[in-house]
Amino acid sequence: MTLLEIRSVGDPVLRERAAEVSPDELRSPEFQRLIDDMIETMRAAGGAGLAANQVGERRRVAVIEVRDNPRYPYKPPIPLTVIVNPTLTPVDDETFAINEGCLSVPDLRGELPRHVSVRVDYLDRDGEAHSEVQRGLTAGTFQHEVDHLDGILFLDRVEDPTTFTTWKQFDRYHRDAFVARARALVERVGA
Ligand code: NI
């Protein structure tokens, strides 16, 4: 497996809509290797997810996994999930202000509204169709990754620019309050 270069904000590929993956392409050894390399790259970088645009590939595939993540220790675990051609549908109107960061936006975090419950339809790496409802912080992670595939960065959704912080200043001034709010959400909706 190969560690891929993670593109950062300013790279035009992050602003492009990634293209749907065909069944033949999904089955190909090249595409399966891309998925393996994305998983490896996400794990090595300590990300909760990684979308193909972030490694320069304009294809609708992202990988998501949370296991004792030092970047986001408050996030509930998410088993390794490969989402191909995902679509998101909000279940209702409820939103929650999540403080997010991104591997493609070095040393910056900010607060933005995410849907609390979303239906996610996608194919897995074997081409099997899935339809599931994700909630809470986990729903936020899915929304962040699908945004990447549409050329959207979390920066675009920050409504109050005064919430932008470096990671160090987040830890110093804002982390405790956010984690308390996030824990309450996780307790209420279970994710
Ligand atoms: Ni990101």
Side-chain angles (χ1 to χ4, degrees):
M1 279 184 270
T2 314
L3 289 184
L4 305 169
E5 184 203 342
I6 298 177
R7 309 300 180 85
S8 50
V9 57
D11 188 319
V13 73
L14 293 172
R15 294 312 196 167
E16 288 175 25
R17 185 184 185 279
E20 265 72 21
V21 181
S22 72
D24 281 351
E25 186 181 14
L26 177 55
R27 271 192 296 270
S28 71
E30 295 75 18
F31 200 87
Q32 292 291 320
R33 190 167 60 229
L34 169 66
I35 292 172
D36 287 334
D37 289 347
M38 285 175 60
I39 293 167
E40 182 96 340
T41 302
M42 167 181 69
R43 287 176 174 164
L50 188 71
N53 327 38
Q54 292 183 275
V55 293
E57 295 290 337
R58 297 161 182 81
R59 287 292 173 269
R60 296 187 82 75
V61 56
V63 297
I64 292 172
E65 181 182 51
V66 176
R67 300 187 296 204
D68 296 330
N69 187 308
R71 273 166 64 89
Y72 304 103
Y74 49 81
K75 282 195 191 216
I78 306 176
L80 176 64
T81 309
V82 178
I83 54 174
V84 177
N85 298 342
T87 59
L88 291 184
T89 315
V91 171
D92 55 35
D93 289 337
E94 188 185 359
T95 61
F96 181 84
I98 300 185
N99 187 290
E100 294 188 7
C102 177
L103 293 173
S104 293
V105 184
D107 202 19
L108 196 66
R109 302 182 60 131
E111 203 163 282
L112 57 142
R114 291 291 189 192
H115 295 288
V116 171
S117 303
V118 288
R119 176 164 294 283
V120 189
D121 292 282
Y122 64 94
L123 303 178
D124 63 25
R125 66 183 301 168
D126 300 317
E128 288 286 321
H130 296 258
S131 181
E132 48 200 44
V133 173
Q134 297 291 350
R135 297 185 201 283
L137 297 183
T138 299
T141 301
F142 277 78
Q143 288 166 79
H144 180 114
E145 298 312 323
V146 175
D147 267 357
H148 274 301
L149 300 178
D150 291 329
I152 297 168
L153 298 175
F154 82 87
L155 306 170
D156 312 358
R157 296 197 184 276
V158 171
E159 293 178 339
D160 177 358
T162 69
T163 66
F164 282 124
T165 64
T166 62
W167 282 64
K168 186 174 171 187
Q169 303 314 331
F170 174 74
D171 283 347
R172 191 165 168 192
Y173 294 110
H174 307 284
R175 187 179 192 288
D176 290 350
F178 173 67
V179 169
R181 279 201 306 114
R183 287 227 171 92
L185 176 73
V186 171
E187 229 163 78
R188 184 162 65 79
V189 305

